[in-house]
Amino acid sequence: MRSGGGSSVLLHLIFGVLVCLSVTLVKAEDPYRFYTWTVTYGTISPLGVPQQVILINGQFPGPRLDIVTNDNIIINVFNKLDQPFLLTWNGIKQRKNSWQDGVLGTNCPIPPNSNYTYKIQAKDQIGTYTYFPSTAMHKVAGGFGGINIYARPRIPVPYPLPTADFTLLIGDWYKTNHKVLQQLLDSGKAFPLPDGLLINGQTRSSSFSGDQGKTYMFRISNVGLSTSINFRIQGHKMKLVECEGSHTIQNFYDSLDVHVGQSLSVLVTLDQPPKDYYIVASTRFTRRNLTTTAVLHYSNSQTAASGPLPMAPTLLTHWSMKQARTFRRNLTANAARPNPQGSYHYGSIKTSRTIILANSAPMINGKQRYAVNRVSYVNADTPLKLADYFNITGVFSTNTLLQSPPPDGPASVATSVILASLHEFIEIVFQNNEKEIQSWHIDGHDFWVVGYGSKQWTPDKRKAYNLVDADTRHTVQVYPNSWTAVMMSLENQGMWNIRSAMWARQYLGQQFYLRVWNPIPSLKNEYDIPPNALLCGKATGRHT
């Protein structure tokens, strides 16, 4: 009897443990969020002239994604345009999952009247990001939106939680139809100057309301095509707290330069007399200055915004580079994980190699192109990721870009890929020998911006690198006739796009791919091809 009773008790205990364990496992799975997006054309007048734009679920800009670290995002995108279409998720690392990156090197575009379901996880990321169309020149017409990734409740942020936050998508805008602008580029002509600036798809009509004495977060992203902007709020200081996924040293600024493709977050306390104040964005480094405004409205205000607009900095490269060097990583703060951001001592790691990337604007066959190390990229009919997976030869070239220093002489065209090993730690130098500012983006990773400098980079420039608390970014500016150096840990296997964020330059060849690889297949390093993957080009008819 005692033995039987003991067994019964033991079985009950085991059953109870299993129930608790199963409940724990269920609760441990990261949440899923499901969306259905329909992409269509629509007619609106952002600059007062009716024009065709790209809408998502009838919205311009598109729906904002508000998610939490590690959420699984399932987005079923229906393409109702008359052209193939893709969305890319700017700054979302797609850990082990370049299959979902949404660029032509990794994905077949969604054909008209078809759909594709993206399956994305915001793994170990927080901060302010965006999405936009990566195909053709669709970005000219819109289709962009904000992505805000919030920290999990148990992971503290290094500042008091703001009362609310506001998303500001700022960028240059054109009245000309995107197909006309694409034809202009295809004919070899230069991309025109923009016609205006928009804040959240509007000019002079956006308003952001808050209570006097309270603090609000402004999430600012430059979603434009070619133009750096300066952002400022009349009568208010801005405290920088986050930059593309990492917490920063909390300096105060009167104005901030935000370059194409970049995002950052600032805290603003409504500590002024109750009235309305101008929010101002204006172009930088351009022959013609463009300015647009919105309104910061105090809830108890009885007075409209008035007075002269706050002035933009009068100095250009020197002022902006000096400001960029003040963006530093808060080493004691957490990021998406509880460990401090300074626990990874990037400055003490020996780099495996240095890759120098020089942009240029060559003429090829009598037409304007853009290039990296004298090589202008051309898209293949077969996504490079599919060619790699199915061992399809002849799709891309791996020996065109790594001459250092970059060669002189005539430019050529190629579908260029740089080979790299998983867990390499590399140095990349972006060398800009042109008179225009550049902006560079790397998919699948972020990187430490260790140095800015003028003229030509040489190895002795490393003496001035910030090897302690450089900020991490996914997009970095390179000033005219200058260089920018970054260090990057290749911890994400896949095929990753490195491109100019200036969209006409990207379209005409200023991009390439980085293949981060481990020869031993393992799901620990990379997920398998998704069962719903679209197949095209030489991959048509293959089995996933």
Side-chain angles (χ1 to χ4, degrees):
M1 291 291 293
R2 287 179 182 177
S3 175
S7 299
S8 176
V9 171
L10 181 60
L11 286 173
H12 279 291
L13 286 173
I14 293 173
F15 179 75
V17 169
L18 290 174
V19 169
C20 292
L21 181 60
S22 65
V23 170
T24 301
L25 290 173
V26 169
K27 287 185 177 181
E29 186 175 12
D30 296 310
Y32 280 75
R33 299 177 186 267
F34 296 88
Y35 304 87
T36 299
W37 286 1
T38 302
V39 182
T40 62
Y41 289 125
T43 300
I44 60 174
S45 305
L47 294 178
V49 177
Q51 64 180 120
Q52 185 187 68
V53 300
I54 292 176
L55 309 174
I56 299 180
N57 290 355
Q59 300 178 40
F60 175 79
R64 191 181 70 215
L65 288 175
D66 289 327
I67 57 182
V68 175
T69 300
N70 293 353
D71 280 357
N72 293 283
I73 313 303
I74 313 298
I75 305 178
N76 193 2
V77 177
F78 287 84
N79 176 20
K80 298 297 183 180
L81 307 183
D82 56 357
Q83 296 178 319
F85 182 82
L86 278 174
L87 288 170
T88 191
W89 318 91
N90 201 45
I92 304 303
K93 293 181 182 177
Q94 310 289 1
R95 290 189 184 275
K96 304 190 295 183
N97 202 16
S98 63
W99 300 107
Q100 306 292 346
D101 202 27
V103 290
L104 288 173
T106 58
N107 296 83
C108 297
I110 308 168
N113 297 311
S114 299
N115 71 297
Y116 175 72
T117 300
Y118 290 90
K119 298 179 180 180
I120 300 167
Q121 186 179 30
K123 182 65 175 174
D124 294 333
Q125 288 189 263
I126 59 166
T128 303
Y129 305 93
T130 59
Y131 63 85
F132 60 82
S134 65
T135 37
M137 289 300 289
H138 290 139
K139 191 181 180 186
V140 175
F144 52 76
I147 305 174
N148 299 332
I149 307 179
Y150 296 90
R152 289 173 289 175
R154 60 183 175 273
I155 307 297
V157 294
Y159 49 80
L161 291 177
T163 301
D165 58 0
F166 305 119
T167 296
L168 287 82
L169 305 175
I170 307 173
D172 50 17
W173 190 254
Y174 295 77
K175 296 177 182 177
T176 307
N177 182 276
H178 71 281
K179 293 181 181 178
V180 174
L181 288 175
Q182 182 175 331
Q183 291 169 359
L184 195 71
L185 293 175
D186 290 340
S187 70
K189 296 180 181 179
F191 203 56
L193 296 174
D195 297 305
L197 290 181
L198 302 182
I199 298 178
N200 290 351
Q202 303 178 67
T203 59
R204 298 183 179 274
S205 56
S206 297
S207 180
F208 303 89
S209 183
D211 298 330
Q212 188 177 23
K214 294 183 178 180
T215 298
Y216 297 84
M217 176 175 283
F218 285 75
R219 298 177 177 269
I220 307 155
S221 296
N222 186 335
V223 294
L225 294 138
S226 61
T227 313
S228 299
I229 62 165
N230 181 267
F231 179 83
R232 50 208 185 270
I233 302 177
Q234 186 181 33
H236 292 75
K237 297 281 189 180
M238 299 179 292
K239 181 192 289 185
L240 182 68
V241 295
E242 178 260 332
C243 179
E244 293 172 14
S246 65
H247 296 302
T248 61
I249 298 294
Q250 297 177 12
N251 295 322
F252 284 93
Y253 298 88
D254 293 317
S255 71
L256 287 162
D257 279 354
V258 187
H259 305 280
V260 179
Q262 293 184 344
S263 298
L264 51 82
S265 299
V266 298
L267 294 179
V268 178
T269 299
L270 276 57
D271 55 3
Q272 298 300 305
K275 61 185 291 290
D276 291 355
Y277 296 86
Y278 284 117
I279 297 171
V280 185
S282 59
T283 56
R284 295 277 276 155
F285 313 103
T286 53
R287 294 194 299 270
R288 180 166 60 98
N289 184 62
L290 299 172
T291 299
T292 191
T293 61
V295 172
L296 174 59
H297 171 72
Y298 279 53
S299 59
N300 57 343
S301 168
Q302 301 296 322
T303 307
S306 62
L309 299 181
M311 294 293 294
T314 55
L315 299 176
L316 295 176
T317 300
H318 176 74
W319 185 96
S320 187
M321 189 184 292
K322 185 177 179 180
Q323 182 184 83
R325 290 184 178 128
T326 69
F327 292 3
R328 293 177 176 264
R329 191 172 171 93
N330 186 339
L331 299 183
T332 62
N334 300 314
R337 291 188 175 195
N339 51 298
Q341 292 185 149
S343 60
Y344 191 92
H345 301 289
Y346 70 94
S348 62
I349 302 174
K350 184 179 180 179
T351 56
S352 60
R353 54 177 159 160
T354 297
I355 301 173
I356 301 175
L357 302 173
N359 54 268
S360 59
M363 300 294 289
I364 300 179
N365 296 326
K367 293 184 178 181
Q368 178 69 71
R369 296 284 298 182
Y370 296 98
V372 186
N373 291 2
R374 308 297 296 174
V375 179
S376 186
Y377 183 90
V378 289
N379 283 306
D381 293 334
T382 306
L384 315 188
K385 185 64 182 172
L386 292 179
D388 204 26
Y389 180 79
F390 289 117
N391 294 314
I392 302 171
T393 60
V395 173
F396 58 84
S397 172
T398 61
N399 58 359
T400 56
L401 284 178
L402 284 182
Q403 298 182 59
S404 183
D408 295 324
S412 60
V413 296
T415 305
S416 304
V417 174
I418 288 180
L419 302 180
S421 298
L422 185 65
H423 307 309
E424 262 197 272
F425 191 78
I426 64 174
E427 176 186 34
I428 297 178
V429 178
F430 295 103
Q431 179 69 55
N432 179 14
N433 297 325
E434 299 181 64
K435 297 179 180 179
E436 299 178 353
I437 191 170
Q438 306 294 318
S439 187
W440 281 94
H441 172 83
I442 301 179
D443 277 349
H445 298 79
D446 51 21
F447 46 76
W448 286 270
V449 185
V450 294
Y452 300 92
S454 59
K455 300 181 181 179
Q456 293 292 310
W457 180 88
T458 56
D460 67 318
K461 304 295 185 182
R462 295 188 180 116
K463 297 175 184 177
Y465 280 5
N466 178 359
L467 298 180
V468 178
D469 61 352
D471 65 324
T472 55
R473 309 205 70 139
H474 56 67
T475 304
V476 69
Q477 71 276 17
V478 192
Y479 294 98
N481 297 309
S482 299
W483 56 267
T484 298
V486 308
M487 290 180 174
M488 185 167 69
S489 181
L490 303 182
E491 300 297 329
N492 198 7
Q493 184 165 309
M495 185 76 73
W496 302 108
N497 192 214
I498 299 182
R499 62 177 178 263
S500 172
M502 328 284 267
W503 210 245
R505 299 182 76 102
Q506 177 274 155
Y507 177 77
L508 290 179
Q510 199 166 295
Q511 62 169 310
F512 63 94
Y513 282 79
L514 180 71
R515 180 183 183 261
V516 180
W517 190 248
N518 185 324
I520 302 174
S522 172
L523 291 177
K524 292 181 179 179
N525 295 333
E526 185 175 24
Y527 300 140
D528 205 352
I529 185 172
N532 68 327
L534 300 176
L535 302 180
C536 57
K538 295 180 179 179
T540 302
R542 306 278 179 140
H543 297 288
T544 60

